[in-house]
């Protein structure tokens, strides 16, 4: 059984298990519908999703949608964080609202970071890099501790959550501090916040994550269901398909209004509708729930990307500086880390010329795939040369190190420009 721990270092070797064990859908099935897909989509780095169809439908029809993610300010922003930032930015470029949370409540509760450290790391490591990578003004950037909307929503969600549920999802026990539990609910509030009326009301929202963060998604989808006033279900009876709306402690007047607006038959605690489509009923129910003070949350969608391996092989760990490249590493140091990285080369040069290299086992090739080469055909050439034994590890490392050095130099120059623009994003 695979265990997903959003606070631990987890390496998932067999992503196919996640489709069966956790109900994650294959992203490839949607790829053909996506105009101008991000390279993570094209290269199958994004491998799975939950409910991304709702986001894609909104994107294609010009309707509102959003993308959000949070970053815990506990250390340096690295290439793994860059992946999530790029996904948020891509969705913003497709017309979506972008939300970026600095999870300082989580860092304070789980990592013991002071509020001052959280503020400094949040801005200097994460926010500046996100702006440098292309996050545009209009994005909603905030610290959890400074958002009353998030804190109030977390409190409301806490009414519907219990210790047994949090324990089952996260493995909490009697030694877990209460603030840690509150931080989990705060993350759910982050995820649902884009659907509050202050931000335009219910809409599809996607959360790009690594598979280890799926517990947060499952908890939030469950809480969204629990806090809504109504359940809308498609039913079949005697060959007839119809929609049933059940009230969960909803006002009687609200059910009566749903029945009237849909032409449905009103019962004590539900309405059966035969003449309207499921989508039409959902739309009416959402409007009525908002009118009567409810949230009408849509279940948040999510995409799942593969993990980057550490530069020395194995896990990428913040406690092993040579296993990752930080976005604030000096360019020369980033290049040196590439030169020290583990490759998929053979034992000897002669053996590699005969058998070819193994790019699928190479952390240097992974840097090219994930971050440094945008052109797919160029990348395919590198792959063919490697497996064909004509591309040697030394030359490939040197080339990749130069690309990394150039990327870090340009990125850090853009970070300094971003520092001067913080006011455009509502930050000081």
């Amino acid at each position: 059984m695979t265990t997903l721990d959003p606070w631990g270092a987890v390496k998932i070797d067999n992503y196919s298990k996640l489709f069966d064990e956790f109900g994650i859908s294959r992203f490839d099935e949607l790829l053909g519908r996506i105009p101008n897909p991000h390279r993570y989509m094209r290269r199958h780095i994004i491998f799975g999703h939950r409910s991304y169809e709702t986001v894609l439908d909104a994107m294609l029809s010009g309707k509102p949608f959003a993308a959000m993610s949070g970053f815990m300010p506990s250390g340096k922003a690295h290439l793994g964080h860059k992946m999530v930032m790029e996904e948020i930015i891509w969705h913003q470029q497709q017309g979506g609202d972008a939300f970026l949370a600095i999870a300082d409540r989580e860092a304070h509760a789980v990592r013991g970071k002071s509020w001052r450290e959280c503020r400094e790391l949040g801005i200097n490591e994460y926010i500046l890099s996100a702006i440098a990578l292309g996050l545009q003004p209009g994005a909603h950037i905030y610290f959890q501790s400074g958002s009353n909307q998030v804190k109030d929503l977390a409190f409301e969600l806490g009414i519907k959550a219990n210790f047994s549920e949090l324990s089952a999802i996260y493995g909490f026990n009697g030694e877990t501090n209460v603030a840690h539990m509150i931080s989990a609910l705060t993350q759910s509030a982050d995820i649902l916040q884009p659907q509050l009326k202050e931000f335009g009301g219910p809409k599809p929202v996607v959360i790009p994550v690594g598979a280890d963060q799926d517990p947060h998604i499952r908890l939030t989808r469950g809480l969204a269901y629990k806090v809504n006033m109504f359940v809308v279900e498609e039913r079949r009876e005697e060959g007839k398909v119809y929609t049933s709306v059940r009230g969960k402690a909803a006002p009687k007047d609200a059910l009566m209004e749903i029945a009237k607006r849909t032409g449905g038959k009103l019962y004590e605690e539900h309405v059966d509708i035969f003449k309207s489509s499921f989508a039409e009923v959902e739309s009416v129910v959402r409007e009525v729930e908002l009118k009567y003070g409810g949230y009408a949350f849509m279940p948040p969608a999510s995409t799942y990307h593969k993990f980057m391996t550490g530069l020395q092989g194995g896990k990428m760990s913040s406690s092993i500086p040579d296993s990752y490249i930080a976005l604030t590493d000096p360019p020369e140091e980033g290049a040196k880390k590439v030169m020290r990285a583990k490759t998929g080369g053979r034992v000897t040069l002669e053996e590699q010329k005969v058998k070819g290299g193994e790019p699928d086992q190479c952390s240097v090739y992974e840097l090219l795939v994930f971050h440094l080469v945008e052109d797919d055909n160029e990348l395919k050439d590198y792959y063919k040369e490697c497996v064909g034994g004509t591309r040697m590890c030394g030359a490939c490392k040197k080339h990749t190190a130069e690309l990394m050095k150039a990327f870090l130099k340009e990125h850090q120059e853009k970070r300094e420009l971003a520092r001067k623009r913080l006011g455009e994003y509502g930050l000081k």
Side-chain angles (χ1 to χ4, degrees):
M1 186 76 173
T2 304
T3 300
L4 301 180
D5 177 6
W7 291 289
V10 179
K11 180 175 173 62
I12 297 176
D13 297 309
N14 187 353
Y15 290 95
S16 63
K17 287 183 181 178
L18 302 179
F19 300 126
D20 298 326
E21 289 187 23
F22 296 100
I24 293 173
S25 301
R26 297 177 185 274
F27 193 83
D28 287 355
E29 297 170 356
L30 301 178
L31 190 56
R33 297 181 57 203
I34 301 174
N36 187 32
H38 191 276
R39 67 178 178 281
Y40 295 153
M41 298 174 177
R42 302 194 311 265
R43 296 173 185 174
H44 312 293
I45 294 167
I46 295 175
F47 67 90
H49 74 95
R50 289 188 192 275
S51 302
Y52 191 73
E53 305 98 328
T54 61
V55 176
L56 182 55
D57 289 344
M59 188 188 304
L60 294 175
S61 61
K63 294 180 180 178
F65 69 96
M68 88 77 52
S69 189
F71 299 90
M72 182 166 62
S74 60
K76 290 188 172 184
H78 52 65
L79 294 177
H81 298 116
K82 173 180 174 285
M83 293 176 64
V84 177
M85 293 175 187
E86 284 197 83
E87 292 177 61
I88 296 293
I89 291 164
W90 182 86
H91 282 93
Q92 186 184 42
Q93 292 169 343
Q94 310 313 307
D97 286 334
F99 287 76
L100 192 155
I102 300 299
D104 56 345
R105 297 186 99 193
E106 182 182 9
H108 186 63
V110 181
R111 300 285 189 243
K113 293 292 182 180
S114 70
W115 295 113
R116 181 176 178 179
E117 286 179 297
C118 290
R119 181 79 184 178
E120 291 175 350
L121 286 169
I123 290 177
N124 294 322
E125 287 291 333
Y126 298 90
I127 293 173
L128 289 180
S129 281
I131 295 172
L133 288 168
L135 191 69
Q136 294 298 308
H140 306 279
I141 304 175
Y142 65 95
F143 286 76
Q144 290 175 330
S145 62
S147 174
N148 289 329
Q149 290 163 324
V150 166
K151 289 186 282 189
D152 289 347
L153 181 54
F155 183 83
E156 292 292 336
L157 297 176
I159 296 172
K160 298 297 184 180
N162 57 56
F163 177 75
S164 296
E165 182 178 24
L166 293 176
S167 178
I169 293 175
Y170 297 113
F172 290 163
N173 56 45
E175 300 301 313
T176 305
N177 69 62
V178 175
H180 192 164
M181 301 179 202
I182 293 172
S183 74
L185 293 172
T186 303
Q187 289 204 51
S188 291
D190 286 325
I191 292 170
L192 293 173
Q193 183 191 207
Q195 298 193 60
L196 295 178
K197 62 181 179 181
E198 292 88 339
F199 300 105
K203 65 175 74 66
V205 180
V206 60
I207 321 299
V209 293
D212 60 328
Q213 300 298 302
D214 189 54
H216 294 316
I217 305 299
R218 297 201 309 273
L219 173 66
T220 308
R221 287 171 65 91
L223 290 174
Y225 172 83
K226 288 181 179 179
V227 299
N228 284 351
M229 287 182 177
F230 302 99
V231 178
V232 185
E233 299 173 315
E234 189 173 77
R235 294 188 174 180
R236 184 182 299 273
E237 188 175 295
E238 297 180 356
K240 292 183 179 180
V241 177
Y242 65 98
T243 305
S244 182
V245 179
R246 177 165 53 86
K248 301 184 296 179
K252 184 68 175 178
D253 288 349
L255 273 174
M256 291 176 63
E257 182 167 342
I258 290 171
K260 183 177 180 180
R261 291 181 58 177
T262 60
K265 185 175 182 180
L266 177 65
Y267 296 88
E268 184 66 26
E269 294 183 350
H270 71 279
V271 178
D272 289 341
I273 301 107
F274 292 88
K275 296 181 180 179
S276 301
S277 70
F278 185 83
E280 290 170 337
V281 174
E282 274 195 320
S283 178
V284 170
V285 169
R286 200 168 290 128
E287 291 174 9
V288 172
E289 177 160 346
L290 291 172
K291 176 180 176 181
Y292 284 84
Y295 292 107
F297 287 134
M298 298 179 67
S302 50
T303 57
Y304 301 90
H305 54 252
K306 295 177 180 177
F307 296 107
M308 289 190 67
T309 53
L311 294 177
Q312 300 301 317
K315 298 174 183 176
M316 184 184 293
S317 172
S318 59
S319 63
I320 307 174
D322 269 1
S323 73
Y324 69 91
I325 294 174
L327 297 176
T328 51
D329 275 346
E332 295 78 9
E333 179 59 26
K336 288 178 182 177
K337 287 184 178 181
V338 175
M339 294 302 295
R340 295 194 294 265
K342 179 180 178 293
T343 69
R346 303 291 179 175
V347 177
T348 67
L349 195 63
E350 291 305 316
E351 184 182 2
Q352 183 147 340
K353 288 180 178 179
V354 174
K355 295 183 177 180
E358 297 180 289
D360 295 328
Q361 307 296 320
C362 180
S363 61
V364 175
Y365 180 72
E366 192 175 75
L367 290 172
L368 298 172
V369 174
F370 280 62
H371 297 287
L372 299 176
V373 177
E374 184 65 34
D375 187 284
D376 290 345
N377 290 324
E378 180 182 351
L379 193 66
K380 288 176 184 176
D381 288 341
Y382 292 160
Y383 188 93
K384 290 177 183 177
E385 291 169 5
C386 179
V387 298
T390 60
R391 188 176 181 86
M392 298 296 109
C393 293
C396 188
K397 269 188 174 183
K398 187 175 181 181
H399 175 63
T400 305
E402 287 300 316
L403 291 177
M404 180 59 69
K405 182 178 178 180
F407 162 73
L408 289 174
K409 183 177 184 294
E410 181 182 6
H411 178 70
Q412 289 164 21
E413 289 171 352
K414 289 180 177 178
R415 277 171 48 85
E416 290 310 306
L417 295 174
R419 192 181 299 277
K420 300 174 183 178
R421 299 177 57 214
L422 287 173
E424 298 177 36
Y425 298 81
L427 298 162
K428 296 180 180 179

